[in-house]
Amino acid sequence: MLEMLLAQAFWLIGPAYAANAFPPLARGKMPVDFGKKINGKRILGDGKTIEGTLAGIIFGLFYGAVQILLQPYMPLAIDGKPLELITVTPFIVFLLVIGAILGDFIGSFIKRRARMERGKSAPGMDQLGFLIAGLVLVSLITAVSLEVWIILIILTPLVHWIANLIGYYLMRVKQTPW
Ligand code: CTP
Ligand code: MG
């Protein structure tokens, strides 16, 4: 049962993870907010760049396209139990990718309102903002089970943390290990 749930959850969320993981690799320079401020505070800050955002969108869409191509070959059942993977469509991929990017922007926007510097850790929001926004948008067009929501909310911070340690210590593409 748990392995079914894990397969369903990670099959669904792939494009959002891809869109969230790729931006640091772009080593972008042009801030999305063009350095603009509201009430003396940056709108999003230097951690959200045009290059990074485009890289996230392109990689997320690419990941989803690969999923759509592989879909016909995915197993329908494991040990006779139906796997019930969601049927990925271009629109689902689009919503996951846009949700992931927007959720990340919303997190940065809130951090800047709270006078938190770029890169300062905001536990919860840093790891879950992209996930929740992605899931909310897909939920508009297809049912996402409560179990899938729960497992992703529990496991995403762990995946995020491990990925960031790799990005910081091994690849040096992250400014901070979180
Ligand atoms: N990044 C980017 N464009 C994005 C998202 C991320 O260029 N849309 C890059 C930036 O180099 C950023 C790094 O990926 O520093 C890590 O992303 P994240 O942790 O989301 O940004 P932070 O630097 O922590 O900024 P914030 O405090 O606004 O979350
Ligand atoms: Mg960060």
Side-chain angles (χ1 to χ4, degrees), residues 19-63:
N20 193 250
F22 214 67
L25 297 173
R27 298 173 190 272
K29 297 271 177 290
M30 286 184 284
V32 173
D33 65 7
F34 295 107
K36 289 204 171 61
K37 297 180 179 182
I38 299 177
N39 295 333
K41 293 175 255 179
R42 282 290 292 276
I43 301 175
L44 298 177
D46 286 334
K48 304 296 118 141
T49 69
I50 293 175
E51 300 94 317
T53 305
L54 286 177
I57 293 173
I58 291 168
F59 193 63
L61 294 178
F62 171 75
Y63 187 101

Side-chain angles (χ1 to χ4, degrees), residues 23-24 44 47-49 52-53 104-105 108 111-112 117-119 174:
L44 298 177
K48 304 296 118 141
T49 69
T53 305
D104 191 44
F105 282 6
S108 293
K111 285 167 79 174
R112 300 299 92 81
E117 283 168 36
R118 173 257 180 104
K174 286 274 301 181

Side-chain angles (χ1 to χ4, degrees), residues 103-132:
D104 191 44
F105 282 6
I106 292 168
S108 293
F109 181 80
I110 294 170
K111 285 167 79 174
R112 300 299 92 81
R113 294 323 99 207
R115 294 196 179 280
M116 291 173 73
E117 283 168 36
R118 173 257 180 104
K120 193 161 184 292
S121 148
M125 204 154 56
D126 284 339
Q127 302 81 9
L128 296 176
F130 84 94
L131 172 78
I132 292 176

